[in-house]
Amino acid sequence: MTDFKRGLLVALMLVSGSLQAKEMPFGADDAQLLQQSCREVLEIFERKNQAASYAAVHTSLAEAMRAGYCIGVVVQYSQQSHDCYSSRYVRSSWFEMAKAIANESIGEMALKRTDVSALLQRAYCYD
């Protein structure tokens, strides 16, 4: 194996390892991350509505990424068809769903045992 091929192989291994590390925080079953991300959405919009506020300037990249994660998950979920058998109302606004998720009062231990789809279902269907 030539030095070039060996170097290319090592570089590919490093890149694939770093890509996997970056994907880990956004696990599919992390209800805590989704709730915290939706709280970021509310905080950003609250700052935006304050007088003389520059929400874009006061929002860090990490806050913006978490808020984007919440918005993306909620929008994706609301675009799929869901049945709300026991509920009379459905939230169609992504912002209202994000607010419901952020304000969901589940204890920390219960939230760890809750999967993302259950949290989204409760935010989407309500009585």
Side-chain angles (χ1 to χ4, degrees), residues 40-51:
E40 293 287 352
V41 170
L42 297 183
E43 290 174 16
I44 290 169
F45 275 81
E46 183 178 294
R47 276 185 254 151
K48 180 183 171 216
N49 292 329
Q50 292 175 353

Side-chain angles (χ1 to χ4, degrees), residues 41 50 64 70 74 114:
V41 170
Q50 292 175 353
C70 169
V74 168
T114 302

Side-chain angles (χ1 to χ4, degrees), residues 77-96:
Y77 184 86
S78 65
Q79 289 177 350
Q80 300 169 357
S81 62
H82 303 282
D83 293 325
C84 298
Y85 295 113
S86 65
S87 300
R88 295 175 292 188
Y89 304 102
V90 173
R91 286 185 181 92
S92 58
S93 162
W94 68 263
F95 185 75
E96 291 301 318

